[in-house]
Amino acid sequence: MITIYFSGTGNSQYIAERFSQIMGATCYSIEEAVDFNEIMTAAQTIVVCYPIYGSCVPKIMRAFVRKNQAAFAGKRLIIFCTQLLFSGDGARVFTELLAGVPVDIRYAEHFNMPNNICNFFLFPLANASKQQRYLKKAEQKLRRTCQNITAGVVKKRGFNPVSRHLGLWIQRAHFGALEKKAERDVRISADCNRCGKCVTICPMKNLKITDQSVMQLNRCTLCYRCVNQCPQKAITVLVHAPVRKQYQGIISLSKDN
């Protein structure tokens, strides 16, 4: 068993790494420089974990699957997605990326995790106490999930027709235009001191330091990593309200326990 994940700000990384720790699986971020085709071909079970954006798989994960689609053939597949509230069919939608590829879907689950959109008034950042509650519930669900998988229980969260239609009409039908806009809607304020951190951490290599500023290359995947880690709070993506507080990630919170 191997686990492959993408995580913008740490939520999906937490789920992927904790699951792998409990189950004895080897865990990889899709950002690692490894031969995924070789690793996936040798595995019997592939676990994928990713954040769900508007009931859509992130663009960076979609590109990864397209590149490695053949390596999924004939595998047992476990799908985890992290979400703030409700994605409808956030796990099921991953299977659309594997159309025509024979896979045995053994388990699919959604995990509610803290909000990382740190400058949107409708979704304020959770305080430490609320993040602890998210962490506790995620840990409980993870352990139940691992027990079920070990016992051979097959569960497919989000695969029923109601979830599919809710994911499509409530979120997915509207998200495509927002995702396209976000690709080229990174803004750098005058507070930027060109430290280069955003350039280093961007998973899409979307940012570049010039003589005058930081410029974008129009391929943002909307992960919000740069927004939450910019030391000057000088970056916004799609939502351009000032950044007052930043999401530090459930990884750092869990290490304090």
Side-chain angles (χ1 to χ4, degrees):
M1 179 186 292
I2 62 167
T3 304
I4 298 172
Y5 72 90
F6 169 70
S7 185
T9 53
N11 289 339
S12 294
Q13 180 183 355
Y14 176 81
I15 296 298
E17 290 184 345
R18 282 294 292 132
F19 173 82
S20 300
Q21 182 183 34
I22 296 169
M23 296 295 287
T26 307
C27 190
Y28 300 94
S29 163
I30 65 170
E31 296 176 61
E32 293 183 48
V34 298
D35 187 340
F36 281 103
N37 183 68
E38 179 180 349
I39 291 168
M40 295 165 66
T41 299
Q44 293 181 328
T45 301
I46 298 175
V47 184
V48 293
C49 184
Y50 54 90
I52 197 75
Y53 302 157
S55 286
C56 294
V57 179
K59 181 173 68 172
I60 188 172
M61 181 60 102
R62 299 198 305 266
F64 174 86
V65 175
R66 285 195 297 270
K67 181 179 179 181
N68 297 283
Q69 190 181 61
F72 283 93
K75 306 300 182 182
R76 291 193 291 265
L77 183 62
I78 295 170
I79 309 169
F80 297 145
C81 70
T82 57
Q83 58 185 14
L84 172 60
L85 297 172
F86 173 74
S87 66
D89 59 345
R92 185 211 64 81
V93 74
F94 184 87
T95 64
E96 295 182 0
L97 305 175
L98 298 174
V101 178
V103 291
D104 178 13
I105 302 168
R106 304 299 297 171
Y107 213 90
E109 187 56 277
H110 299 169
F111 293 86
N112 284 38
M113 301 294 274
N115 170 44
N116 74 340
I117 303 177
C118 58
N119 61 335
F120 187 39
F121 72 99
L122 288 179
F123 300 122
L125 292 184
N127 59 29
S129 176
K130 190 171 183 179
Q131 287 190 40
Q132 288 284 5
R133 292 196 292 273
Y134 272 108
L135 186 64
K136 182 178 179 179
K137 289 181 179 179
E139 185 71 23
Q140 291 171 343
K141 180 176 275 193
L142 265 172
R143 293 195 175 275
R144 289 196 303 270
T145 296
C146 292
Q147 290 169 359
N148 285 342
I149 291 172
T150 300
V153 174
V154 176
K155 179 179 179 180
K156 300 180 182 180
R157 177 83 67 188
F159 277 61
N160 64 74
V162 173
S163 294
R164 182 172 183 172
H165 281 86
L166 287 174
L168 174 61
W169 297 113
I170 294 178
Q171 297 187 82
R172 194 153 54 249
H174 313 287
F175 183 74
L178 290 176
E179 183 184 57
K180 193 68 178 174
K181 182 177 187 295
E183 289 179 355
R184 57 188 65 232
D185 199 26
V186 179
R187 297 186 189 177
I188 314 293
S189 77
D191 293 329
C192 173
N193 64 2
R194 297 169 64 238
C195 71
K197 183 172 184 178
C198 60
V199 175
T200 302
I201 65 175
C202 177
M204 297 296 288
K205 307 302 179 188
N206 181 48
L207 301 169
K208 178 181 178 181
I209 295 180
T210 69
D211 291 339
Q212 302 298 323
S213 63
V214 176
M215 65 176 291
Q216 62 182 316
L217 302 176
N218 300 334
R219 49 178 180 248
C220 176
T221 193
L222 203 56
C223 72
Y224 249 67
R225 187 183 296 174
C226 62
V227 179
N228 282 293
Q229 292 194 35
C230 173
Q232 302 300 117
K233 300 183 177 68
I235 305 177
T236 54
V237 179
L238 196 60
V239 178
H240 298 297
V243 177
R244 306 299 185 192
K245 295 176 63 178
Q246 294 168 309
Y247 179 58
Q248 299 303 312
I250 207 162
I251 295 282
S252 61
L253 183 70
S254 66
K255 288 178 180 178
D256 293 335
N257 294 291

